[in-house]
Amino acid sequence: MKEKHSFRSLISLALLLVFSTALLLPGGQAYGKSSSQSSAKTYTVKLVSAELTSNDHVGNEWAWSASVDGKSLDVGDSITLKNAKNSIILKSYAVEQDKIPDEGSAEKSISLKSLSSNKTTVKLTVTVTENRGRYSGNKAVWVFTYQISKK
């Protein structure tokens, strides 16, 4: 039985890695590069929390990932973006690990010009919908909280 769980965990981890590398990379733009150098600033982005806030019979075995401009973060981790230009892209993903995984994701582009204070909190809500069985259509909700600090 433990081997099955380990195999399922490896498959789920592989799915997360594929998602993180294929979908979480910023499309077509080199990391940290932009056309206007004059307004470059440094920002620190911290993943404050990743919380399952509601779960209506979707499942109990979860995995998730979070990224900032394509760089993965764990809860409590920070990433410093030097020479950040126009925006920061936050992405969150959650998957309930069963035979046919239930998954959801959210993405938000934060305009750096819109940041009015030195510390800004941004929340992304990820909804995962049960896809099979008697609870099909039920939802679980994850809330990912990021803190963006100007340097």
Side-chain angles (χ1 to χ4, degrees):
M1 183 76 172
K2 185 172 177 126
E3 290 177 3
K4 275 188 174 179
H5 187 269
S6 295
F7 179 72
R8 232 169 59 192
S9 295
L10 286 173
I11 295 297
S12 296
L13 181 58
L15 286 171
L16 284 173
L17 290 173
V18 167
F19 178 84
S20 295
T21 56
L23 298 178
L24 297 179
L25 292 174
Q29 185 178 17
Y31 180 72
K33 303 273 182 184
S34 181
S35 58
S36 64
Q37 291 288 349
S38 60
S39 63
K41 295 191 190 245
T42 300
Y43 293 84
T44 299
V45 183
K46 179 179 182 178
L47 180 61
V48 177
S49 64
E51 297 180 66
L52 179 61
T53 59
S54 68
N55 183 0
D56 187 15
H57 301 290
V58 175
N60 294 314
E61 296 180 28
W62 293 93
W64 57 265
S65 66
S67 72
V68 177
D69 283 354
K71 306 284 184 185
S72 295
L73 288 177
D74 284 324
V75 171
D77 287 352
S78 297
I79 186 168
T80 299
L81 304 171
K82 295 181 180 180
N83 300 319
K85 300 297 179 228
N86 300 319
S87 64
I88 296 172
I89 298 173
L90 306 176
K91 294 185 181 184
S92 300
Y93 170 79
V95 59
E96 197 285 316
Q97 302 169 319
D98 55 18
K99 289 180 185 178
I100 300 172
D102 308 312
E103 55 190 12
S105 62
E107 176 180 333
K108 187 167 189 173
S109 178
I110 307 296
S111 168
L112 297 178
K113 291 180 183 178
S114 72
L115 300 176
S116 58
S117 65
N118 285 335
K119 282 191 180 180
T120 302
T121 299
V122 177
K123 293 184 182 245
L124 289 183
T125 301
V126 174
T127 301
V128 179
T129 304
E130 177 63 40
N131 57 19
R132 300 239 180 218
R134 70 177 175 172
Y135 296 114
S136 183
N138 286 13
K139 298 185 183 317
V141 177
W142 283 82
V143 176
F144 292 78
T145 304
Y146 299 83
Q147 184 176 62
I148 304 170
S149 303
K150 293 181 191 180
K151 297 288 179 182

